[in-house]
Amino acid sequence: LNWNNVIRVLQFAVIHRALFTLSMALRQAITDATEFQIKLAELQTISQKIGFTTEQWARQVRVLSDAFGNPIFDTTEGIYQALSNQVVKTAQDFGFLNSAMKLSLITTASFKDAVDASSSILNAFNMTTAESARVNAILFKTVGLGRVRLGEMSNTIGRVSVLSEKLNVSFQQQQALLATLTNQGVKFNVAQTLLVNIFNKLIRPSERLEGIFAQWGVTSGEAAIKTFGLVDVFRRLEHIA
């Protein structure tokens, strides 16, 4: 081979590689576009009350994705979860999505995790989306003050939240307990299980605990917390134990 032939071979190899790369990129783009259309159809199906077409959902997803620099598919999945969790019910609830997106960015969590955590709290404590900014601020504080990631809370925080609501324990009190426990080295799942067990005992007290409530002049765990406050109830039970 002379130098001219070598150069031609190299040029052919470069062109061939470029064409192959372009072909693969086009295939991936077609695959992504097809998957995106499927996701949009799912959004349109699950949001009949909102009445958006797939084109309108496409614009909404892109606006939210571009505004926060979030991947389009994570944005789409987060919106789907917000609809599935029945938190976003009308176009007026879209502020919830912006708030959840901000939470995901400042906690380095996925948008889906932020949506799941926030919507679990709203549903458990019977809150509206108008309260999502306050809820997300408290979730951020929990991550900042405790030793827990938002992703750890996202799928299970509803377990303890439902019980807290039954006992009239505020969301802020609940998160303060979780932040304190995790900051002391207790893993989040262990800390949450501990609170779940305690709250269940307060909701369905044993005969011995009912007797203790009677000595306190109350008839239930909920009444005890309302009368003395959550912290004082814990202190009283600690002394008895």
Side-chain angles (χ1 to χ4, degrees):
L1 292 175
N2 58 35
W3 281 111
N4 288 333
N5 289 335
V6 170
I7 291 172
R8 290 192 187 96
V9 169
L10 291 175
Q11 288 175 334
F12 175 79
V14 169
I15 293 171
H16 182 269
R17 182 175 297 175
L19 289 173
F20 176 77
T21 301
L22 179 61
S23 175
M24 293 301 294
L26 287 173
R27 287 183 183 179
Q28 187 60 50
I30 292 171
T31 299
D32 288 347
T34 301
E35 185 177 348
F36 185 48
Q37 288 301 315
I38 293 172
K39 295 293 185 183
L40 291 175
E42 290 176 348
L43 291 182
Q44 199 274 333
T45 299
I46 202 173
S47 63
Q48 296 293 326
K49 291 183 179 180
I50 296 178
F52 271 20
T53 63
T54 54
E55 290 78 13
Q56 288 174 308
W57 273 120
R59 284 195 295 272
Q60 179 64 35
V61 170
R62 289 194 179 97
V63 165
L64 190 61
S65 175
D66 293 345
F68 293 93
N70 197 59
I72 195 96
F73 285 112
D74 182 53
T75 302
T76 308
E77 180 62 23
I79 294 175
Y80 181 88
Q81 290 302 320
L83 293 166
S84 179
N85 294 339
Q86 297 185 15
V87 173
V88 172
K89 300 175 183 178
T90 70
Q92 284 68 44
D93 294 322
F94 285 173
F96 167 85
L97 300 174
N98 288 321
S99 180
M101 187 67 82
K102 291 175 184 176
L103 178 65
S104 74
L105 293 178
I106 61 177
T107 58
T108 65
S110 70
F111 180 44
K112 177 184 177 298
D113 282 345
V115 166
D116 283 340
S118 185
S119 59
S120 292
I121 299 303
L122 294 183
N123 286 333
F125 287 93
N126 299 311
M127 299 178 184
T128 67
T129 54
E131 298 175 88
S132 59
R134 184 180 72 85
V135 165
N136 290 338
I138 295 173
L139 286 170
F140 172 62
K141 279 290 186 182
T142 306
V143 173
L145 297 177
R147 294 172 63 183
V148 57
R149 293 182 177 275
L150 188 66
E152 294 178 76
M153 292 189 285
S154 61
N155 290 324
T156 61
I157 193 66
R159 288 177 56 213
V160 68
S161 298
V162 169
L163 300 178
S164 293
E165 196 277 334
K166 286 184 178 179
L167 287 169
N168 283 327
V169 174
S170 72
F171 170 54
Q172 192 165 357
Q173 287 177 313
Q174 170 188 294
Q175 295 306 109
L177 287 170
L178 290 171
T180 300
L181 288 169
T182 57
N183 194 41
Q184 292 175 351
V186 181
K187 295 293 186 182
F188 171 75
N189 63 325
V190 176
Q192 179 173 236
T193 299
L194 175 63
L195 291 184
V196 166
N197 290 338
I198 293 173
F199 288 172
N200 271 324
K201 290 181 185 301
L202 290 173
I203 293 170
R204 293 182 289 274
S206 63
E207 288 186 12
R208 178 170 180 266
L209 189 53
E210 285 180 343
I212 292 170
F213 287 161
Q215 292 174 18
W216 294 355
V218 296
T219 57
S220 66
E222 180 182 346
I225 291 172
K226 185 176 181 179
T227 303
F228 306 110
L230 180 63
V231 174
D232 195 31
V233 168
F234 278 7
R235 284 175 182 159
R236 286 166 174 257
L237 291 174
E238 183 181 8
H239 289 317
I240 293 171

